Amino acid sequence: MFEEKKAEWLRIAESLKPTLRRETVRPVSGIPDHSLSENESIVLDFGNHFVGHFTLRLSSQGSHPDAPVWLAVKFCENARELNETLDGYTGWISKGWVQQEQVHIDVLPAIFSFPRRYAFRYVKIDVLALSSKYQLVIEDASAEATTSADDSVPPSIISDEKDIAIDRVALRTLRNCMQDFFEDGPKRDRRLWLGDLRLQALTNSVTFRNYDLVKRCLYLFAATADREGRISASLFTEPKVVADDICMFDYSLFFIQTLLQYIQATGDQATRNDLLPLALHQLVLADEQFDPKTQLIRDSDKLSWCFVDWELRLNKQFCAQAIWIYCAQAAWQMKADPVLKDKIRLRKEAARKYWYDQERHLFVSGAERQVSWASQVWAVLAGIAEDTDAASCLDAAAVCSDIVPMVTPYMMHHYVEALCRIGRKAQARQVIRDYWGAMVDKGADTYWELYNPENPDESPYGSPVVNSFCHAWSCTPAWFLRSGILKENA
Amino acid sequence: MFEEKKAEWLRIAESLKPTLRRETVRPVSGIPDHSLSENESIVLDFGNHFVGHFTLRLSSQGSHPDAPVWLAVKFCENARELNETLDGYTGWISKGWVQQEQVHIDVLPAIFSFPRRYAFRYVKIDVLALSSKYQLVIEDASAEATTSADDSVPPSIISDEKDIAIDRVALRTLRNCMQDFFEDGPKRDRRLWLGDLRLQALTNSVTFRNYDLVKRCLYLFAATADREGRISASLFTEPKVVADDICMFDYSLFFIQTLLQYIQATGDQATRNDLLPLALHQLVLADEQFDPKTQLIRDSDKLSWCFVDWELRLNKQFCAQAIWIYCAQAAWQMKADPVLKDKIRLRKEAARKYWYDQERHLFVSGAERQVSWASQVWAVLAGIAEDTDAASCLDAAAVCSDIVPMVTPYMMHHYVEALCRIGRKAQARQVIRDYWGAMVDKGADTYWELYNPENPDESPYGSPVVNSFCHAWSCTPAWFLRSGILKENA
């Protein structure tokens, strides 16, 4: 499907590849005023989170250097990473993501530019070896920081001091994920994921307004759809543009929502006309997952068949059905197809009929009728729960003791969106202050991939050392604060 | 002194900078026929010792790589180094010399060229991290090996199989130390040392005959003499040519001997005329160390005031006196100065008078009248011990139970030279077979900086991991075997 279009879609995507803005930045503290001996250690603090290439200008004191300098250099997004090590690492994603290097420098003085790009605020340098005849002098340390975001963000009407701080960190998060494309996180995975893109594009529309970058990413996904026309969950751009082999039910569907947002923000009808058939085709492909008799989606044990949240216990059957409805409604906004409207209605009714526990006022999911926060939130967002039911399922969730919790800022975004939808603006604002505000209080320059107030060590990967601390899907407070959605009458 | 000459001397040295010969070499074994997973390890064997730059051509198998490759790569001159680690390293020279790296490679396929130069036969690669979604494929491994030696060595008359092997390893040692200049060792210190240069130039004269490289090194030392005209023990060429701050009594004097050898081999009178005043000046400077009354050299506790051998217990007073005489005799060959001849005679007599123990037939050194192999050898080479005394001091040494031993091939060279001098050619040949031949038997491709048959772990640096296994001063068997000196009637 769409094979004949893909070369042109890729060409369009590549023609929109941004020129990165480059800025030379220097640490605000940590450059020692003395020369360093073997086993000494320093921490440079750049004062904010940056993405870029790091350079050391080194010289020596004492005799002429008669042996190589051997340094361990660690780049940390977050102060807590400074003291973490990979000793005994048991996580299940690659420890190759941890930003630590060992380098030898044969000749001093030297300007040593690290070849890789890092995401960091802090740089820890351990002098692993020198000879006893000389000491190392750090003459200068700098980074060439990059972003494709234009810092001319529209002035906001935010006046509350805490909200200003929350917004600032959100902007920094989005900005530092904006490189050649919208990256999920500049430390990890440095990749274009559809679930992240959707929230980035949303926040971009009220901040950097780099719509070409959104368009580029939409076309990248279009150009890498598989032979059946299925859009993958993520894609690689290096060494060439190619889809990842992960497809996720919800992420493929979110292409529709992301396209709609883009068209609403830009009025770009050419892109609408070009990509709408592919977007609508995602609904057709999703139909394979539904039981035509019951209009219920089939469940799956496969962890990543549908993402929803980084909560390994979560049963995703109900959310998948709700997300289909949510995205089908977005499709309907772009093309008012009466057959689709009918299907939406049937699947809403089926979901409500099978999965609404009227006594408990809670939506359940899966054969074991699991109760989760995610199900309640998506019931509201998809309009499966309407009117008073919507409010009562959120209220019931709040007092349910054995409910599967939300663990990512990504899921928290949907919770806040659900609160807004039922008109609980003050509560939505409070959730932002409590959840994202707590990261700010803990010193975040950018928002984290994961934040569980009750367990700061939480990681879906088995170890927090591989967590990302500047993660795209966490940037949406700027959207809530700037879009006007939090206003009582919005 | 000589300040007005130095710019021109440096210009001459730099005009003789060689163009390195480059050869692409590949491992003879070790490239795996399967793809590698995390924690796998391979050892590439290049089949011989090389000096050069290493390149990996990598690709992947499985899904698209979704995390960086993290490799530990270790370059070993010697198979025993493969299993050595720096854990608990307590040596006193920099562990920065150990040729081990850690690298991350973000994108596959990749051609990854290591920026530094290494000396190695073996390359060990540990896969520290990959993701579980892909495996690493080593498509190719190669090195661009360099030397300034021309492999068109004159045919030798060596016919004995063991001697052929000993000669081959000697040639390889010298060849791999011949780069931009005569390096002491391409792993460590990668530097021009006068003591090494003297023996390299000697061996070069019967092998590669790259006299321009010898001339270049003589001029480098001349150009970096200090303000008093003292030639340093070693010098650096990067980032610019500059003397090391180590001066050693014997090494400064060996400039004379090295110049003489060069002139004898080439007949280059222009260089003789240009550098002879500086060479003779080293004798004048050395005079400061002599007591004018006794004509004995003053002793020093400073370990490196005079090198002689890497034996920390060695008292060097006698050897220093002998080396002065040895080099003064070389000076006299270049300029027959009767005053110098007289001084040589006086200092020989004084040495004999004060330090020859007539009863034991041994030369002693220092206030504690230490008996060492080095003293006997230098007594012979300097002609302090003449005729039957020369033979008897070597014989007495051989049966002396508490004698300070010889520990380096450098000192062993002088021992073999001393044996030749007293006509013990068969014994000289046997020492070469026993000592250097044992390294060949142990699998040496190049001769080691240190070899103590009774203690293979010996290191003057506190740990054998920093020892050099291709060391210039060990290359002289080729000179003994090719120069004809071992012939009975020579």
Side-chain angles (χ1 to χ4, degrees):
Chain A
M1 298 283 295
F2 308 103
E3 289 302 314
E4 74 291 352
K5 299 258 190 186
K6 288 182 184 170
E8 174 62 9
W9 286 347
L10 184 59
R11 196 198 58 73
I12 293 171
E14 294 298 49
S15 75
L16 297 166
K17 190 168 176 172
T19 304
L20 296 182
R21 291 158 191 274
R22 292 166 196 282
E23 176 196 7
T24 300
V25 292
R26 291 196 152 73
V28 295
S29 71
I31 293 197
D33 53 8
H34 63 283
S35 58
L36 302 174
S37 299
E38 189 165 299
N39 296 327
E40 278 196 79
S41 185
I42 61 163
V43 175
L44 305 176
D45 176 0
F46 278 76
N48 204 341
H49 186 282
F50 291 97
V51 177
H53 286 80
F54 180 66
T55 295
L56 283 171
R57 191 154 61 79
L58 303 171
S59 69
S60 62
Q61 211 164 65
S63 292
H64 193 289
D66 61 340
V69 181
W70 185 22
L71 302 178
V73 183
K74 189 173 174 184
F75 299 85
C76 302
E77 298 190 284
N78 195 298
R80 66 167 285 174
E81 291 171 276
L82 288 166
N83 300 315
E84 287 170 343
T85 76
L86 278 171
D87 298 348
Y89 177 75
T90 53
W92 59 267
I93 65 166
S94 175
K95 59 183 180 284
W97 284 118
V98 177
Q99 303 177 117
Q100 58 180 41
E101 309 289 353
Q102 288 188 6
V103 296
H104 289 84
I105 298 157
D106 289 311
V107 176
L108 290 181
I111 293 174
F112 190 89
S113 291
F114 287 71
R116 303 174 70 218
R117 198 198 72 182
Y118 305 100
F120 62 98
R121 169 172 169 167
Y122 303 97
V123 182
K124 185 177 184 201
I125 302 176
D126 294 311
V127 182
L128 298 181
L130 297 177
S131 88
S132 54
K133 290 197 68 176
Y134 73 100
Q135 299 84 46
L136 181 67
V137 179
I138 312 255
E139 297 280 355
D140 190 20
S142 63
E144 191 185 55
T146 60
T147 175
S148 55
D150 170 352
D151 279 337
S152 66
V153 170
S156 81
I157 46 151
I158 310 164
S159 58
D160 176 87
E161 207 172 300
K162 180 136 199 188
D163 287 347
I164 289 171
I166 288 170
D167 176 68
R168 187 184 64 239
V169 173
L171 288 184
R172 191 82 194 170
T173 305
L174 178 57
R175 174 191 186 278
N176 285 357
C177 292
M178 288 170 75
Q179 303 290 337
D180 276 347
F181 52 87
F182 282 102
E183 297 185 13
D184 62 332
K187 168 186 169 185
R188 205 211 82 244
D189 298 330
R190 304 171 61 158
R191 210 191 312 164
L192 179 56
W193 284 89
L194 230 168
D196 298 80
L197 172 62
R198 173 174 146 256
L199 300 191
Q200 284 169 301
L202 190 69
T203 306
N204 174 69
S205 69
V206 293
T207 57
F208 303 110
R209 296 160 300 163
N210 186 341
Y211 296 115
D212 275 353
L213 198 66
V214 180
K215 182 176 172 185
R216 167 165 158 75
C217 293
L218 286 167
Y219 272 98
L220 284 171
F221 275 112
T224 54
D226 71 11
R227 298 201 150 263
E228 294 186 316
R230 191 183 310 270
I231 290 173
S232 72
S234 84
L235 58 84
F236 302 94
T237 59
E238 296 292 342
K240 55 181 187 172
V241 174
V242 56
D244 192 1
D245 58 7
I246 297 175
C247 272
M248 297 195 298
F249 182 85
D250 48 350
Y251 275 32
S252 295
L253 289 172
F254 281 138
F255 185 80
I256 304 166
Q257 173 73 21
T258 312
L259 180 63
L260 173 64
Q261 278 170 204
Y262 171 75
I263 293 164
Q264 285 175 338
T266 62
D268 177 352
Q269 291 305 312
T271 297
R272 176 197 174 279
N273 297 339
D274 204 14
L275 297 184
L276 184 57
L278 177 68
L280 296 177
H281 183 64
Q282 304 311 304
L283 292 174
V284 175
L285 291 168
D287 268 350
E288 295 164 8
Q289 301 298 317
F290 282 86
D291 181 329
K293 232 173 30 208
T294 62
Q295 291 298 322
L296 293 181
I297 196 160
R298 291 189 194 93
D299 203 1
S300 169
D301 287 338
K302 209 172 142 244
L303 192 66
S304 64
W305 78 277
C306 181
F307 177 70
V308 186
D309 195 11
W310 255 131
E311 165 56 74
L312 303 184
R313 294 165 296 176
L314 185 64
N315 178 281
K316 294 161 177 182
Q317 189 179 21
F318 179 85
C319 290
Q321 177 115 0
I323 288 168
W324 184 91
I325 294 164
Y326 181 82
C327 292
Q329 289 171 157
W332 195 84
Q333 285 189 258
M334 289 187 279
K335 192 181 176 192
D337 172 2
V339 177
L340 181 62
K341 187 158 197 179
D342 209 40
K343 209 183 265 183
I344 292 169
R345 184 182 50 77
L346 285 173
R347 290 180 180 175
K348 266 194 192 176
E349 285 171 9
R352 201 180 154 75
K353 178 174 158 197
Y354 285 92
W355 290 318
Y356 188 49
D357 182 332
Q358 299 226 355
E359 280 176 34
R360 300 172 74 194
H361 300 289
L362 287 166
F363 289 86
V364 298
S365 181
E368 298 183 11
R369 302 184 71 77
Q370 181 190 72
V371 176
S372 68
W373 263 107
S375 294
Q376 315 318 311
V377 165
W378 278 108
V380 173
L381 291 177
I384 299 168
E386 283 187 288
D387 307 325
T388 55
D389 284 353
S392 56
C393 75
L394 294 181
D395 289 339
V399 294
C400 180
S401 59
D402 61 346
I403 194 165
V404 176
M406 302 178 276
V407 299
T408 59
Y410 173 78
M411 188 62 226
M412 289 299 285
H413 163 87
H414 295 113
Y415 175 47
V416 177
E417 198 184 330
L419 289 172
C420 289
R421 192 171 167 118
I422 63 169
R424 293 191 174 172
K425 306 299 176 86
Q427 193 186 348
R429 187 180 285 271
Q430 196 56 46
V431 170
I432 293 170
R433 288 186 188 178
D434 289 348
Y435 185 75
W436 281 269
M439 287 188 258
V440 176
D441 291 344
K442 288 176 194 297
D445 301 299
T446 50
Y447 290 122
W448 311 337
E449 177 184 19
L450 298 134
Y451 175 55
N452 179 347
E454 274 142 47
N455 178 17
D457 275 339
E458 186 147 304
S459 168
Y461 313 117
S463 168
V465 300
V466 289
N467 286 5
S468 156
F469 292 95
C470 173
H471 218 72
W473 71 20
S474 311
C475 76
T476 59
W479 180 71
F480 287 112
L481 290 168
R482 287 166 177 268
S483 65
I485 196 177
L486 291 175
K487 285 189 197 147
E488 286 302 336
N489 53 353
Chain B
M1 299 281 295
F2 308 101
E3 289 302 314
E4 74 291 354
K5 300 257 190 187
K6 289 183 183 169
E8 175 62 8
W9 285 346
L10 185 59
R11 196 199 57 75
I12 294 171
E14 294 297 49
S15 75
L16 296 166
K17 189 166 177 173
T19 304
L20 296 182
R21 290 159 192 273
R22 291 164 197 283
E23 177 197 6
T24 300
V25 292
R26 290 196 154 73
V28 295
S29 71
I31 293 195
D33 54 8
H34 63 283
S35 57
L36 302 174
S37 298
E38 188 165 300
N39 295 326
E40 279 197 78
S41 185
I42 60 164
V43 175
L44 306 176
D45 177 2
F46 278 77
N48 203 342
H49 186 280
F50 291 97
V51 176
H53 286 80
F54 180 67
T55 294
L56 283 171
R57 191 155 60 80
L58 303 171
S59 70
S60 62
Q61 212 164 65
S63 292
H64 193 290
D66 61 341
V69 180
W70 185 23
L71 302 178
V73 183
K74 189 173 172 183
F75 299 85
C76 301
E77 299 190 285
N78 195 298
R80 64 167 287 174
E81 291 171 276
L82 288 166
N83 300 314
E84 287 170 344
T85 75
L86 278 172
D87 298 346
Y89 177 76
T90 53
W92 60 268
I93 65 168
S94 175
K95 58 182 181 283
W97 284 117
V98 176
Q99 302 177 120
Q100 58 178 40
E101 309 290 353
Q102 288 188 6
V103 296
H104 289 83
I105 298 157
D106 289 310
V107 177
L108 290 181
I111 293 175
F112 190 88
S113 291
F114 287 71
R116 303 174 70 218
R117 199 198 71 184
Y118 305 100
F120 63 97
R121 168 171 170 168
Y122 303 97
V123 182
K124 185 177 186 202
I125 302 176
D126 294 312
V127 182
L128 297 181
L130 297 177
S131 89
S132 55
K133 289 198 70 177
Y134 73 99
Q135 299 85 45
L136 182 67
V137 178
I138 313 255
E139 297 279 356
D140 189 21
S142 63
E144 191 186 55
T146 60
T147 175
S148 54
D150 171 351
D151 280 336
S152 65
V153 170
S156 81
I157 46 151
I158 311 165
S159 57
D160 177 88
E161 207 173 300
K162 179 134 200 189
D163 287 348
I164 289 171
I166 288 170
D167 177 69
R168 188 185 62 239
V169 174
L171 289 184
R172 191 82 194 171
T173 305
L174 178 57
R175 175 191 186 277
N176 284 358
C177 292
M178 287 169 72
Q179 302 291 336
D180 276 346
F181 53 87
F182 282 101
E183 297 186 12
D184 62 333
K187 169 185 169 185
R188 202 214 82 242
D189 298 330
R190 306 172 60 158
R191 209 190 312 164
L192 180 55
W193 284 89
L194 231 167
D196 298 79
L197 172 62
R198 173 173 147 259
L199 300 190
Q200 284 170 300
L202 192 68
T203 306
N204 175 68
S205 68
V206 295
T207 56
F208 303 111
R209 297 160 299 163
N210 186 343
Y211 297 114
D212 274 354
L213 199 66
V214 181
K215 183 176 172 186
R216 166 166 158 75
C217 293
L218 286 167
Y219 273 98
L220 285 171
F221 276 112
T224 55
D226 71 12
R227 298 202 149 264
E228 293 186 315
R230 191 183 310 271
I231 290 173
S232 73
S234 84
L235 58 83
F236 301 93
T237 59
E238 297 289 343
K240 55 181 187 172
V241 174
V242 57
D244 194 2
D245 57 7
I246 297 174
C247 273
M248 297 196 298
F249 181 85
D250 48 351
Y251 275 32
S252 295
L253 290 172
F254 281 137
F255 184 80
I256 304 166
Q257 173 73 20
T258 311
L259 180 62
L260 173 64
Q261 278 169 204
Y262 170 76
I263 291 163
Q264 286 174 338
T266 61
D268 177 351
Q269 293 304 312
T271 297
R272 176 199 172 279
N273 297 339
D274 205 14
L275 298 183
L276 184 59
L278 176 68
L280 297 176
H281 184 64
Q282 304 312 304
L283 293 173
V284 176
L285 291 168
D287 267 351
E288 296 165 7
Q289 300 300 317
F290 283 86
D291 181 329
K293 235 179 22 218
T294 61
Q295 292 299 322
L296 293 181
I297 197 161
R298 291 188 193 94
D299 202 2
S300 169
D301 289 337
K302 209 173 142 242
L303 191 67
S304 64
W305 77 278
C306 180
F307 178 70
V308 186
D309 195 12
W310 256 132
E311 166 54 74
L312 303 184
R313 292 166 298 174
L314 185 64
N315 178 281
K316 295 161 177 180
Q317 190 179 20
F318 179 84
C319 290
Q321 179 115 359
I323 288 168
W324 184 91
I325 294 165
Y326 180 84
C327 292
Q329 289 170 155
W332 195 82
Q333 286 188 255
M334 288 187 280
K335 192 180 178 194
D337 172 1
V339 177
L340 181 61
K341 189 158 197 178
D342 210 41
K343 209 184 265 181
I344 291 170
R345 185 181 51 76
L346 285 172
R347 289 179 182 175
K348 265 194 194 177
E349 287 170 7
R352 203 180 151 76
K353 177 174 162 199
Y354 284 93
W355 289 320
Y356 188 49
D357 182 332
Q358 300 227 357
E359 281 177 33
R360 301 174 73 192
H361 300 289
L362 286 166
F363 289 86
V364 299
S365 181
E368 298 182 11
R369 302 183 71 76
Q370 181 190 73
V371 176
S372 68
W373 263 107
S375 293
Q376 316 317 311
V377 165
W378 278 107
V380 173
L381 291 176
I384 300 168
E386 283 186 286
D387 307 325
T388 54
D389 284 354
S392 56
C393 78
L394 293 181
D395 289 338
V399 295
C400 181
S401 60
D402 61 345
I403 193 165
V404 176
M406 301 179 278
V407 299
T408 58
Y410 173 78
M411 188 62 226
M412 289 299 285
H413 163 87
H414 295 113
Y415 174 47
V416 177
E417 199 183 332
L419 288 171
C420 290
R421 191 170 171 121
I422 63 168
R424 296 194 171 169
K425 305 298 177 84
Q427 192 185 347
R429 188 181 285 270
Q430 196 55 48
V431 170
I432 293 169
R433 287 186 188 178
D434 289 348
Y435 185 75
W436 281 271
M439 286 189 259
V440 176
D441 292 343
K442 288 177 193 295
D445 301 299
T446 49
Y447 290 122
W448 311 337
E449 177 184 19
L450 298 135
Y451 174 56
N452 179 347
E454 274 143 47
N455 178 16
D457 276 338
E458 187 146 304
S459 168
Y461 313 118
S463 168
V465 300
V466 289
N467 286 6
S468 156
F469 292 95
C470 173
H471 218 72
W473 69 22
S474 310
C475 75
T476 59
W479 180 72
F480 287 113
L481 291 167
R482 288 168 175 266
S483 65
I485 196 177
L486 291 175
K487 285 190 197 147
E488 287 301 337
N489 55 354

